[in-house]
Amino acid sequence: MMTQQILRKIALASFIGMTAFGLAACEEEGPAEEAGENIDQTMEETGESVDETMDQASDSVEEAGDSIAATADDGMEEAGEAADATGDAIEGAADEGMEEAGEAADATGDAVEEAGDSVEDAAEEADSSY
């Protein structure tokens, strides 16, 4: 009986010793544990870097889109102004052309009237000579 008690005490002491050694061994990191933690940290940092890069790219694309829209708006406004200026120029030219045509018609009318007077005078002279 005593032998069993001694064996039990030895077994218990061995178990406690192994448990203490196991716990101490868990606290110390081996090279594989350190490598695993380094990989985890690198992956986390890479993920954060990718997220930041994607956010910056998204912001850049949004800014480019806004810039393109603003440029298109400016271009449309300038095209509208150019169309208005062209319309005004055409209207001015048409008004000027109509005025010149009216003056030409008046001059033609005056010339026809003078020619008619000349023909009438010539006809009167011809009648008086007979």
Side-chain angles (χ1 to χ4, degrees):
M1 250 193 44
M2 181 88 95
T3 315
Q4 280 186 339
Q5 286 181 352
I6 293 175
L7 285 177
R8 282 187 185 173
K9 288 182 183 179
I10 291 174
L12 182 60
S14 295
F15 177 74
I16 291 172
M18 288 174 54
T19 303
F21 178 75
L23 289 175
C26 286
E27 290 179 17
E28 294 180 28
E29 293 182 357
E33 182 71 23
E34 286 181 29
E37 287 179 6
N38 287 339
I39 290 171
D40 289 345
Q41 184 178 357
T42 301
M43 292 302 288
E44 186 175 327
E45 290 172 358
T46 301
E48 289 171 1
S49 178
V50 167
D51 287 344
E52 288 175 17
T53 302
M54 292 300 289
D55 288 344
Q56 290 172 352
S58 176
D59 291 345
S60 295
V61 168
E62 187 174 338
E63 288 172 8
D66 291 345
S67 177
I68 290 170
T71 301
D73 288 344
D74 290 347
M76 290 299 290
E77 186 175 332
E78 289 176 9
E81 290 171 2
D84 288 344
T86 301
D88 291 345
I90 290 171
E91 186 177 337
D95 288 346
E96 191 175 308
M98 289 299 290
E99 187 176 322
E100 289 176 6
E103 290 172 3
D106 288 343
T108 302
D110 290 345
V112 167
E113 190 174 328
E114 284 180 26
D117 288 344
S118 294
V119 168
E120 195 174 295
D121 289 344
E124 285 177 12
E125 271 185 43
D127 276 343
S128 64
S129 349
Y130 279 113

